[in-house]
Amino acid sequence: MQIIIAKCKEEFDRIAADTVSQQIKDKPNSVLGLATGSTPLGLYAQLVERNKRGEIDFSQITTFNMDEYKGLPKDHPQSYHYFMHKYLFDEINVRPENINIPNGEAADWAKECAEYEEKIRAAGGIDLQVLGIGHNGHIGFNEPGTPFEALTSLIELDKRTIKANSRFFDSIDQVPRQALSMGIKTIMQSRKLILMICGRDKAEIAYKAIKGPITPEVPASVLQLHPFITVLLDQDAASDL
Ligand code: F6R
């Protein structure tokens, strides 16, 4: 596990963007795994700028997002489809047919999950997966207690996740209670990972994920077992290490 502590938010975003850019330069037809949430917003802004400046090319890139709320239509402002298009996909030269996000409105969940796994396999697997972490240690929407062997599945969101994500909705009642998420095993099968952690409020979980016991109660702790993971923290998130 490589641990990098960025001096400031600008450096944090730049290092994350350098990691993704390098992956794209090394392998122009890379398969990228992507996350939503506040943490990667600066990364996506940098990727957009670099793409507009002609420094990186997404024309052969395939993407797989980790998760989507159950029941939210693609054009709902809080859906992860909407988020990804707004902050990244609509601003770069990725081909629409190469974008993959779980379908929050799938009629048959088991089928949607199995097909998502199959699509990842058919694309050759994920080369670089971008991850954030929840206050409870979730990665994707794999909440505490999720078995490490889990593949893409329908997840019951934890109370703490619903509360944290209610900041984006008008009220907590509007936050979906379920989501479709790539499994922990799916995430661990990625060739490389970058886990991004920022903010003082993430310091305790950062410590547990990086230095604590490896346990399903802290889903991100499984990442200690991955041979090619970079953990990128800002100084606040690293303050308990
Ligand atoms: C979202 C995802 C989640 C977030 C996590 C942190 O696609 O995978 O695991 O990374 O909830 O969210 P933020 O960055 O908003 O603190």
Side-chain angles (χ1 to χ4, degrees):
M1 179 177 271
Q2 182 193 23
I3 297 177
I4 302 176
I5 301 172
K7 284 193 220 52
C8 60
K9 185 69 172 68
E10 287 68 33
E11 189 178 76
F12 181 85
D13 293 336
R14 185 180 48 73
I15 294 170
D18 286 349
T19 305
V20 177
S21 302
Q22 196 57 51
Q23 174 65 42
I24 295 172
K25 283 175 188 159
D26 290 347
K27 187 179 174 195
N29 63 346
S30 288
V31 178
L32 301 179
L34 300 175
T36 56
S38 308
T39 310
L41 279 175
L43 159 65
Y44 294 156
Q46 291 250 347
L47 294 179
V48 167
E49 275 179 33
R50 291 177 191 205
N51 184 236
K52 287 196 194 303
R53 288 201 298 260
E55 294 166 14
I56 47 171
D57 174 22
F58 286 87
S59 64
Q60 297 178 64
I61 295 292
T62 298
T63 66
F64 284 91
N65 265 79
M66 278 193 294
D67 39 21
E68 179 57 287
Y69 287 118
K70 182 184 176 195
L72 289 195
K74 293 188 172 85
D75 59 356
H76 188 289
Q78 299 312 331
S79 78
Y80 289 169
H81 275 79
Y82 188 93
F83 176 102
M84 288 307 301
H85 281 275
K86 177 171 176 184
Y87 293 110
L88 187 65
F89 298 146
D90 289 354
E91 305 293 332
I92 60 175
N93 69 330
V94 65
R95 288 174 205 257
E97 62 272 27
N98 290 349
I99 296 171
N100 298 280
I101 307 177
N103 178 7
E105 295 185 293
D108 182 338
W109 281 92
K111 188 163 170 270
E112 172 68 15
C113 292
E115 284 176 2
Y116 207 66
E117 286 288 332
E118 186 43 43
K119 271 194 222 165
I120 295 172
R121 235 189 324 274
I126 293 170
D127 291 304
L128 175 65
Q129 173 68 55
V130 174
L131 293 163
I133 185 172
H135 295 100
N136 61 6
H138 75 210
I139 44 173
F141 268 138
N142 295 288
E143 301 287 26
T146 307
F148 290 161
E149 285 305 299
L151 295 172
T152 301
S153 60
L154 185 62
I155 300 273
E156 300 290 326
L157 298 184
D158 193 86
K159 278 203 187 80
R160 201 158 173 199
T161 303
I162 293 169
K163 189 159 180 287
N165 291 3
S166 67
R167 69 193 194 276
F168 300 115
F169 291 80
D170 290 338
S171 82
I172 196 162
D173 299 334
Q174 292 178 6
V175 186
R177 270 32 186 179
Q178 293 178 310
L180 195 150
S181 177
M182 248 187 221
I184 293 180
K185 186 171 178 184
T186 325
I187 292 168
M188 287 295 281
Q189 283 169 342
S190 308
R191 292 184 187 90
K192 274 183 264 168
L193 302 166
I194 177 166
L195 171 62
M196 303 174 68
I197 317 179
C198 63
R200 184 70 189 87
D201 56 318
K202 295 271 179 80
E204 191 183 338
I205 196 63
Y207 177 84
K208 286 186 184 162
I210 298 168
K211 301 246 161 111
I214 299 171
T215 162
E217 289 317 308
V218 181
S221 64
V222 73
L223 301 172
Q224 294 176 34
L225 300 173
H226 198 284
F228 298 105
I229 174 158
T230 299
V231 184
L232 172 63
L233 306 104
D234 67 2
Q235 288 191 318
D236 285 341
S239 51
D240 285 2
L241 293 184

